[in-house]
Structures are given as structure tokens and as C-alpha cells.
Amino acid sequence: MPPRPTQPIHTMWITDLNADRLQPGSILLSWEPRLGDGMDVTAHLRLASAEVLLASWPDLHGDWTAVVHPTIHEVIGLHTALSIATDALHLANHLATR
């Protein structure tokens, strides 16, 4: 079940960016400082067969949680819904072949 918009998103700090370690549905956030006080933030979504660019936020300033959190929250909910639909489809196909 995805977190509510008011709940924190569970995170894990990793230093090895080996994509094989990320589970499908995982979101990888990375950030790099810009000249001045901004940050370039990117989010990648790990799918079963690939990793895709989910979003990028160039030159964010200050606390960028309010900018990034809504997108991450929506994607977690969407991934959860798609996972449930996929499982239901697999079950329906399995039952149809019995």
C-alpha cells in the first residue's frame, strides 16, 4: 500500500548505484549541486526490465521536498495499482487454463 501524501516515503541510502540491486518499483533519487545554492534533482523508476527517467527538477533551491514528494507519491501509487492489475491478470489467465 502506498503511503498517504502526508506520510513520509520510506527511503534507503545507497552508495553503489548498481541497478541490479534496485527492486522493481524502486525510485532512485539523485542530486548534484549547481553553481550557487541550487540542486539538480532527478528521479529514475526501476521497472521489471528497465530503468526509466521519471522526472528531473533543475536548479531547485532550499528544501525541495515539497516539489519532489508529490511526484514520488503519485508514482508509488501508480506502480502499486499496476502491480495489483498485473497479478490479477496472471491469476485470471491461470484460472482460465484450468
PDB file of all heavy atoms in Angstrom, residues 25-48:
ATOM      1  N   GLY A  25       9.855  -1.117  -9.009  1.00  0.00           N
ATOM      2  CA  GLY A  25       9.038  -0.211  -8.212  1.00  0.00           C
ATOM      3  C   GLY A  25       9.864   0.745  -7.374  1.00  0.00           C
ATOM      4  O   GLY A  25       9.329   1.693  -6.815  1.00  0.00           O
ATOM      5  N   SER A  26      11.168   0.508  -7.301  1.00  0.00           N
ATOM      6  CA  SER A  26      12.039   1.409  -6.550  1.00  0.00           C
ATOM      7  C   SER A  26      12.264   2.690  -7.333  1.00  0.00           C
ATOM      8  O   SER A  26      12.326   2.686  -8.559  1.00  0.00           O
ATOM      9  CB  SER A  26      13.401   0.762  -6.282  1.00  0.00           C
ATOM     10  OG  SER A  26      13.274  -0.369  -5.488  1.00  0.00           O
ATOM     11  N   ILE A  27      12.397   3.771  -6.606  1.00  0.00           N
ATOM     12  CA  ILE A  27      12.675   5.065  -7.217  1.00  0.00           C
ATOM     13  C   ILE A  27      14.031   5.522  -6.712  1.00  0.00           C
ATOM     14  O   ILE A  27      14.274   5.563  -5.503  1.00  0.00           O
ATOM     15  CB  ILE A  27      11.585   6.083  -6.868  1.00  0.00           C
ATOM     16  CG1 ILE A  27      10.240   5.617  -7.423  1.00  0.00           C
ATOM     17  CG2 ILE A  27      11.959   7.468  -7.408  1.00  0.00           C
ATOM     18  CD1 ILE A  27       9.060   6.417  -6.948  1.00  0.00           C
ATOM     19  N   LEU A  28      14.894   5.835  -7.645  1.00  0.00           N
ATOM     20  CA  LEU A  28      16.238   6.291  -7.314  1.00  0.00           C
ATOM     21  C   LEU A  28      16.297   7.801  -7.486  1.00  0.00           C
ATOM     22  O   LEU A  28      16.084   8.315  -8.578  1.00  0.00           O
ATOM     23  CB  LEU A  28      17.261   5.614  -8.228  1.00  0.00           C
ATOM     24  CG  LEU A  28      18.708   6.050  -8.066  1.00  0.00           C
ATOM     25  CD1 LEU A  28      19.232   5.651  -6.690  1.00  0.00           C
ATOM     26  CD2 LEU A  28      19.557   5.440  -9.159  1.00  0.00           C
ATOM     27  N   LEU A  29      16.540   8.506  -6.384  1.00  0.00           N
ATOM     28  CA  LEU A  29      16.725   9.957  -6.430  1.00  0.00           C
ATOM     29  C   LEU A  29      18.212  10.263  -6.420  1.00  0.00           C
ATOM     30  O   LEU A  29      18.968   9.670  -5.651  1.00  0.00           O
ATOM     31  CB  LEU A  29      16.101  10.627  -5.210  1.00  0.00           C
ATOM     32  CG  LEU A  29      14.607  10.814  -5.185  1.00  0.00           C
ATOM     33  CD1 LEU A  29      14.190  11.436  -3.857  1.00  0.00           C
ATOM     34  CD2 LEU A  29      14.131  11.652  -6.336  1.00  0.00           C
ATOM     35  N   SER A  30      18.604  11.179  -7.260  1.00  0.00           N
ATOM     36  CA  SER A  30      19.991  11.639  -7.215  1.00  0.00           C
ATOM     37  C   SER A  30      19.984  13.156  -7.337  1.00  0.00           C
ATOM     38  O   SER A  30      19.056  13.741  -7.894  1.00  0.00           O
ATOM     39  CB  SER A  30      20.818  11.000  -8.336  1.00  0.00           C
ATOM     40  OG  SER A  30      20.281  11.305  -9.596  1.00  0.00           O
ATOM     41  N   TRP A  31      21.008  13.766  -6.788  1.00  0.00           N
ATOM     42  CA  TRP A  31      21.084  15.215  -6.831  1.00  0.00           C
ATOM     43  C   TRP A  31      22.532  15.642  -6.917  1.00  0.00           C
ATOM     44  O   TRP A  31      23.430  14.982  -6.405  1.00  0.00           O
ATOM     45  CB  TRP A  31      20.382  15.850  -5.641  1.00  0.00           C
ATOM     46  CG  TRP A  31      20.837  15.377  -4.296  1.00  0.00           C
ATOM     47  CD1 TRP A  31      21.816  15.916  -3.512  1.00  0.00           C
ATOM     48  CD2 TRP A  31      20.339  14.253  -3.574  1.00  0.00           C
ATOM     49  NE1 TRP A  31      21.957  15.212  -2.350  1.00  0.00           N
ATOM     50  CE2 TRP A  31      21.053  14.172  -2.367  1.00  0.00           C
ATOM     51  CE3 TRP A  31      19.356  13.298  -3.830  1.00  0.00           C
ATOM     52  CZ2 TRP A  31      20.822  13.180  -1.419  1.00  0.00           C
ATOM     53  CZ3 TRP A  31      19.129  12.315  -2.887  1.00  0.00           C
ATOM     54  CH2 TRP A  31      19.853  12.272  -1.698  1.00  0.00           C
ATOM     55  N   GLU A  32      22.706  16.750  -7.618  1.00  0.00           N
ATOM     56  CA  GLU A  32      24.029  17.334  -7.790  1.00  0.00           C
ATOM     57  C   GLU A  32      23.930  18.834  -7.555  1.00  0.00           C
ATOM     58  O   GLU A  32      23.002  19.472  -8.045  1.00  0.00           O
ATOM     59  CB  GLU A  32      24.542  17.091  -9.213  1.00  0.00           C
ATOM     60  CG  GLU A  32      24.784  15.641  -9.536  1.00  0.00           C
ATOM     61  CD  GLU A  32      25.325  15.468 -10.950  1.00  0.00           C
ATOM     62  OE1 GLU A  32      25.900  16.432 -11.491  1.00  0.00           O
ATOM     63  OE2 GLU A  32      25.155  14.377 -11.495  1.00  0.00           O
ATOM     64  N   PRO A  33      24.883  19.386  -6.812  1.00  0.00           N
ATOM     65  CA  PRO A  33      24.858  20.828  -6.584  1.00  0.00           C
ATOM     66  C   PRO A  33      25.129  21.599  -7.879  1.00  0.00           C
ATOM     67  O   PRO A  33      25.863  21.136  -8.740  1.00  0.00           O
ATOM     68  CB  PRO A  33      25.972  21.066  -5.581  1.00  0.00           C
ATOM     69  CG  PRO A  33      26.622  19.772  -5.311  1.00  0.00           C
ATOM     70  CD  PRO A  33      25.969  18.720  -6.127  1.00  0.00           C
ATOM     71  N   ARG A  34      24.490  22.730  -7.997  1.00  0.00           N
ATOM     72  CA  ARG A  34      24.741  23.652  -9.111  1.00  0.00           C
ATOM     73  C   ARG A  34      25.557  24.816  -8.582  1.00  0.00           C
ATOM     74  O   ARG A  34      25.710  24.985  -7.380  1.00  0.00           O
ATOM     75  CB  ARG A  34      23.424  24.173  -9.670  1.00  0.00           C
ATOM     76  CG  ARG A  34      22.676  23.119 -10.435  1.00  0.00           C
ATOM     77  CD  ARG A  34      21.494  23.723 -11.110  1.00  0.00           C
ATOM     78  NE  ARG A  34      21.907  24.699 -12.105  1.00  0.00           N
ATOM     79  CZ  ARG A  34      21.413  24.767 -13.327  1.00  0.00           C
ATOM     80  NH1 ARG A  34      20.506  23.914 -13.705  1.00  0.00           N
ATOM     81  NH2 ARG A  34      21.807  25.693 -14.174  1.00  0.00           N
ATOM     82  N   LEU A  35      26.041  25.615  -9.500  1.00  0.00           N
ATOM     83  CA  LEU A  35      26.719  26.836  -9.064  1.00  0.00           C
ATOM     84  C   LEU A  35      25.716  27.670  -8.289  1.00  0.00           C
ATOM     85  O   LEU A  35      24.547  27.755  -8.642  1.00  0.00           O
ATOM     86  CB  LEU A  35      27.238  27.617 -10.270  1.00  0.00           C
ATOM     87  CG  LEU A  35      28.371  26.947 -11.054  1.00  0.00           C
ATOM     88  CD1 LEU A  35      28.714  27.774 -12.279  1.00  0.00           C
ATOM     89  CD2 LEU A  35      29.589  26.755 -10.172  1.00  0.00           C
ATOM     90  N   GLY A  36      26.139  28.252  -7.232  1.00  0.00           N
ATOM     91  CA  GLY A  36      25.223  28.978  -6.357  1.00  0.00           C
ATOM     92  C   GLY A  36      24.673  28.016  -5.313  1.00  0.00           C
ATOM     93  O   GLY A  36      25.376  27.156  -4.823  1.00  0.00           O
ATOM     94  N   ASP A  37      23.398  28.132  -5.010  1.00  0.00           N
ATOM     95  CA  ASP A  37      22.836  27.276  -3.959  1.00  0.00           C
ATOM     96  C   ASP A  37      21.775  26.306  -4.479  1.00  0.00           C
ATOM     97  O   ASP A  37      21.027  25.731  -3.705  1.00  0.00           O
ATOM     98  CB  ASP A  37      22.260  28.137  -2.829  1.00  0.00           C
ATOM     99  CG  ASP A  37      21.121  29.021  -3.309  1.00  0.00           C
ATOM    100  OD1 ASP A  37      20.946  29.167  -4.532  1.00  0.00           O
ATOM    101  OD2 ASP A  37      20.404  29.568  -2.451  1.00  0.00           O
ATOM    102  N   GLY A  38      21.690  26.103  -5.780  1.00  0.00           N
ATOM    103  CA  GLY A  38      20.684  25.210  -6.349  1.00  0.00           C
ATOM    104  C   GLY A  38      21.136  23.763  -6.428  1.00  0.00           C
ATOM    105  O   GLY A  38      22.311  23.438  -6.266  1.00  0.00           O
ATOM    106  N   MET A  39      20.178  22.879  -6.656  1.00  0.00           N
ATOM    107  CA  MET A  39      20.425  21.448  -6.833  1.00  0.00           C
ATOM    108  C   MET A  39      19.692  20.971  -8.074  1.00  0.00           C
ATOM    109  O   MET A  39      18.549  21.355  -8.316  1.00  0.00           O
ATOM    110  CB  MET A  39      19.865  20.631  -5.663  1.00  0.00           C
ATOM    111  CG  MET A  39      20.608  20.710  -4.398  1.00  0.00           C
ATOM    112  SD  MET A  39      22.069  19.681  -4.484  1.00  0.00           S
ATOM    113  CE  MET A  39      22.733  20.063  -2.892  1.00  0.00           C
ATOM    114  N   ASP A  40      20.351  20.125  -8.853  1.00  0.00           N
ATOM    115  CA  ASP A  40      19.688  19.412  -9.936  1.00  0.00           C
ATOM    116  C   ASP A  40      19.284  18.051  -9.379  1.00  0.00           C
ATOM    117  O   ASP A  40      20.126  17.272  -8.947  1.00  0.00           O
ATOM    118  CB  ASP A  40      20.630  19.205 -11.125  1.00  0.00           C
ATOM    119  CG  ASP A  40      20.889  20.490 -11.888  1.00  0.00           C
ATOM    120  OD1 ASP A  40      20.088  21.424 -11.768  1.00  0.00           O
ATOM    121  OD2 ASP A  40      21.896  20.541 -12.610  1.00  0.00           O
ATOM    122  N   VAL A  41      17.987  17.784  -9.351  1.00  0.00           N
ATOM    123  CA  VAL A  41      17.453  16.548  -8.779  1.00  0.00           C
ATOM    124  C   VAL A  41      16.820  15.735  -9.911  1.00  0.00           C
ATOM    125  O   VAL A  41      16.105  16.280 -10.749  1.00  0.00           O
ATOM    126  CB  VAL A  41      16.399  16.849  -7.688  1.00  0.00           C
ATOM    127  CG1 VAL A  41      15.860  15.559  -7.092  1.00  0.00           C
ATOM    128  CG2 VAL A  41      16.991  17.736  -6.602  1.00  0.00           C
ATOM    129  N   THR A  42      17.109  14.432  -9.931  1.00  0.00           N
ATOM    130  CA  THR A  42      16.492  13.537 -10.906  1.00  0.00           C
ATOM    131  C   THR A  42      15.936  12.323 -10.172  1.00  0.00           C
ATOM    132  O   THR A  42      16.430  11.936  -9.109  1.00  0.00           O
ATOM    133  CB  THR A  42      17.474  13.048 -11.989  1.00  0.00           C
ATOM    134  OG1 THR A  42      18.557  12.382 -11.363  1.00  0.00           O
ATOM    135  CG2 THR A  42      17.989  14.196 -12.819  1.00  0.00           C
ATOM    136  N   ALA A  43      14.904  11.740 -10.756  1.00  0.00           N
ATOM    137  CA  ALA A  43      14.299  10.526 -10.218  1.00  0.00           C
ATOM    138  C   ALA A  43      14.190   9.511 -11.351  1.00  0.00           C
ATOM    139  O   ALA A  43      13.734   9.838 -12.448  1.00  0.00           O
ATOM    140  CB  ALA A  43      12.912  10.828  -9.646  1.00  0.00           C
ATOM    141  N   HIS A  44      14.643   8.292 -11.075  1.00  0.00           N
ATOM    142  CA  HIS A  44      14.525   7.180 -12.013  1.00  0.00           C
ATOM    143  C   HIS A  44      13.655   6.108 -11.376  1.00  0.00           C
ATOM    144  O   HIS A  44      13.757   5.854 -10.178  1.00  0.00           O
ATOM    145  CB  HIS A  44      15.896   6.590 -12.342  1.00  0.00           C
ATOM    146  CG  HIS A  44      16.728   7.491 -13.188  1.00  0.00           C
ATOM    147  ND1 HIS A  44      17.500   8.497 -12.665  1.00  0.00           N
ATOM    148  CD2 HIS A  44      16.885   7.545 -14.531  1.00  0.00           C
ATOM    149  CE1 HIS A  44      18.114   9.128 -13.651  1.00  0.00           C
ATOM    150  NE2 HIS A  44      17.752   8.574 -14.797  1.00  0.00           N
ATOM    151  N   LEU A  45      12.827   5.477 -12.178  1.00  0.00           N
ATOM    152  CA  LEU A  45      11.948   4.411 -11.715  1.00  0.00           C
ATOM    153  C   LEU A  45      12.470   3.090 -12.256  1.00  0.00           C
ATOM    154  O   LEU A  45      12.702   2.953 -13.456  1.00  0.00           O
ATOM    155  CB  LEU A  45      10.516   4.642 -12.202  1.00  0.00           C
ATOM    156  CG  LEU A  45       9.504   3.526 -11.927  1.00  0.00           C
ATOM    157  CD1 LEU A  45       9.303   3.332 -10.427  1.00  0.00           C
ATOM    158  CD2 LEU A  45       8.178   3.845 -12.615  1.00  0.00           C
ATOM    159  N   ARG A  46      12.664   2.133 -11.360  1.00  0.00           N
ATOM    160  CA  ARG A  46      13.112   0.795 -11.753  1.00  0.00           C
ATOM    161  C   ARG A  46      11.881  -0.041 -12.079  1.00  0.00           C
ATOM    162  O   ARG A  46      11.009  -0.241 -11.239  1.00  0.00           O
ATOM    163  CB  ARG A  46      13.913   0.143 -10.619  1.00  0.00           C
ATOM    164  CG  ARG A  46      14.362  -1.259 -10.910  1.00  0.00           C
ATOM    165  CD  ARG A  46      15.404  -1.253 -11.986  1.00  0.00           C
ATOM    166  NE  ARG A  46      15.855  -2.633 -12.177  1.00  0.00           N
ATOM    167  CZ  ARG A  46      16.525  -3.035 -13.220  1.00  0.00           C
ATOM    168  NH1 ARG A  46      16.844  -2.183 -14.165  1.00  0.00           N
ATOM    169  NH2 ARG A  46      16.892  -4.274 -13.329  1.00  0.00           N
ATOM    170  N   LEU A  47      11.792  -0.484 -13.322  1.00  0.00           N
ATOM    171  CA  LEU A  47      10.733  -1.380 -13.752  1.00  0.00           C
ATOM    172  C   LEU A  47      11.298  -2.797 -13.806  1.00  0.00           C
ATOM    173  O   LEU A  47      12.492  -3.007 -13.570  1.00  0.00           O
ATOM    174  CB  LEU A  47      10.199  -0.949 -15.121  1.00  0.00           C
ATOM    175  CG  LEU A  47       9.601   0.459 -15.171  1.00  0.00           C
ATOM    176  CD1 LEU A  47       9.260   0.839 -16.604  1.00  0.00           C
ATOM    177  CD2 LEU A  47       8.378   0.545 -14.276  1.00  0.00           C
ATOM    178  N   ALA A  48      10.479  -3.765 -14.144  1.00  0.00           N
ATOM    179  CA  ALA A  48      10.928  -5.160 -14.180  1.00  0.00           C
ATOM    180  C   ALA A  48      12.055  -5.362 -15.189  1.00  0.00           C
ATOM    181  O   ALA A  48      12.968  -6.154 -14.952  1.00  0.00           O
ATOM    182  CB  ALA A  48       9.760  -6.080 -14.503  1.00  0.00           C
TER     183      ALA A  48
END
